Amino acid sequence: MPKFIIQGQKPLSGEIEVKGAKNSALKIIPASILSEETITIKNLPQIEDIGKALELLSFLGSSIRHSGSEVEINTKNINKSELEPKLADKFRTSMMFVGPLLARFKEVKFPHPGGCVIGASGRPIDLFLEGFQALGAEVKVSGKFYEIKAKELKGATYFFSTVSVTGTESLMMTATLAKGITTLQNCAMEPEIKALADYLNSQGAKIKGAGSPTIIIEGVKKLKAGTFKIVPDRIEAGSFAIMAAASKSDITITKCQPEHILSLLTIFKKIGLNFEIGKDWLRVKPTKNIRPYNIKTHEYPGFPTDLQSPYTVLMTQAQGLSTIHEIIYDRRLLYVDMLSQMGANIIMCDPHRVVVNGPSKLYAKKLISPDIRAGIALVIAALIAKGTTEIDNIYQIDRGYENIDKRLRDLGADIVRV
Ligand code: EPU
């Protein structure tokens, strides 16, 4: 298993470019099932999860021409509506294939999707199932598989009892080819949802309101060909900005959209960080005294759960107490134990809240990356720690960040993959 070996406390500086958003690309790829014409996707991040999504699509019978950050997909010859269990098992986003397959073929069979370990009970899919039922589908569970069938999908009103990003995207895609009007209420509002709706509309879909809590979809019979450029990854941008602040470096983050991380940048002001923003760049400069500030994760436009772990590392370098309150997931603070082993002064109050007492000197340790976001947080901690840190299970970092070791080396980091 590859590992990262990181020699901490090396000065970092320069420019780092943000890649296309993983959590946009992972929806645009399955959305290609909604059209029988050729789809071109640009600015695709070259990461593990994208490879798996394309493999799943290819298994269904699609033709795929993938070169670097661009892919051309044609799903006309899809010849099955069943997700390969070995592939679907491996990542939760396999669930994003279910709605488009149901919309196009009126039936789909799939195993409970796998993924990382951040939610209890294997991360539920009840909202998806309820939504499909609202559109007129029947859901059966047989053994480890779900089978969903519909004679016809009909527009309906569905209220999300919990705000869900992938739930919103899934029902929005499914309703695109349903008969009549679907109204989705209490929707998630992430920029990737608006990007998906804009893209589907460019192919002939009729979606209004994406990016707000109510989305109205007027079903159409089919979608045309389309070209989509993946939006910049706001979580990468935010993680790099936090890395620059925690390591007191002067780093410019390019090809990003700072307006997508206003929740973070607002806090940057409150904690006294020295930074500048432009339309598509963000420069973080060294700040001597970082003030502590409490955060509570929230759905967009609130503070993203995906930046909670890097922010916690930053707070280990702040002057005083801060509380980190994770409200989206119930297993997303377990990594703090590793920060404590590195010398951070962190008290776990309950599974959802920790108190960080900064500033602390961090020391190198042998660590294991538990999930993508905690993984990048450990990389940041290792970059500021004294000594040589070893991070195992970096598969859980590669899933989300393209070629991260090379990109960090270009900033001056001493990080090698062995
Ligand atoms: N939930 C349910 N039932 C469902 C679906 C979700 O109860 O059927 C609950 C979840 O357990 C969670 C809450 O709803 O407590 C919100 O989860 P959501 O469905 O919004 O998360 P998601 O759509 O599965 C996406 C991102 C996550 C990101 C969250 C929150 C993708 C592929 N994943 O997940 O990204 O943390 O939204 O912003 O878009 C990551 O990139 O590392 C990652 C985990």
Side-chain angles (χ1 to χ4, degrees), residues 33 70 194 227:
I33 295 170
E70 196 165 317
K194 166 110 182 23
T227 299

Side-chain angles (χ1 to χ4, degrees), residues 22-24 26-27 92-93 96 116 118-120 123-129 162-167 169 188 190 234-235 298-300 304-306 327-330 332 371-373 399:
K22 163 181 92 73
N23 287 346
S24 176
L26 287 173
K27 326 302 168 49
R92 175 166 172 91
T93 323
M96 298 314 292
C116 55
I118 55 180
R123 292 174 77 183
I125 59 166
D126 54 310
L127 300 172
F128 295 77
L129 301 179
T162 303
V163 177
S164 165
V165 175
T166 44
E169 292 164 327
E190 271 63 5
R234 64 196 159 89
I235 303 303
H298 199 276
E299 295 88 9
Y300 190 84
T305 170
D306 294 341
I327 65 157
I328 310 284
Y329 294 114
D330 44 16
R332 228 185 192 182
D371 70 78
I372 308 177
R373 308 307 175 188
R399 278 184 57 206

Side-chain angles (χ1 to χ4, degrees), residues 331-368:
R331 289 166 62 88
R332 228 185 192 182
L333 281 170
L334 301 180
Y335 71 92
V336 297
D337 187 42
M338 283 185 268
L339 294 182
S340 300
Q341 287 173 35
M342 294 178 85
N345 184 350
I346 302 181
I347 297 163
M348 184 157 237
C349 311
D350 61 45
H352 287 274
R353 281 177 310 157
V354 296
V355 173
V356 185
N357 189 1
S360 298
K361 281 215 166 79
L362 299 185
Y363 297 92
K365 275 278 163 198
K366 280 194 173 179
L367 308 170
I368 298 173

Side-chain angles (χ1 to χ4, degrees), residues 27-37 39 53 56-58 60 62 73-76 78 80-81 83 94 96-105 173 177 199-200 203 223:
K27 326 302 168 49
I28 300 291
I29 292 172
S32 63
I33 295 170
L34 294 169
S35 169
E36 291 190 21
E37 297 186 39
I39 308 300
L56 201 52
L57 201 56
S58 160
L60 291 169
S62 315
I73 300 172
N74 189 300
T75 67
K76 190 170 180 204
I78 284 193
K80 41 180 131 23
S81 189
L83 294 184
S94 61
M96 298 314 292
F97 286 72
V98 173
L101 284 170
L102 178 65
R104 184 157 146 202
F105 299 103
M173 288 195 277
L177 298 186
Y199 165 65
L200 294 173
Q203 292 180 282
L223 296 185

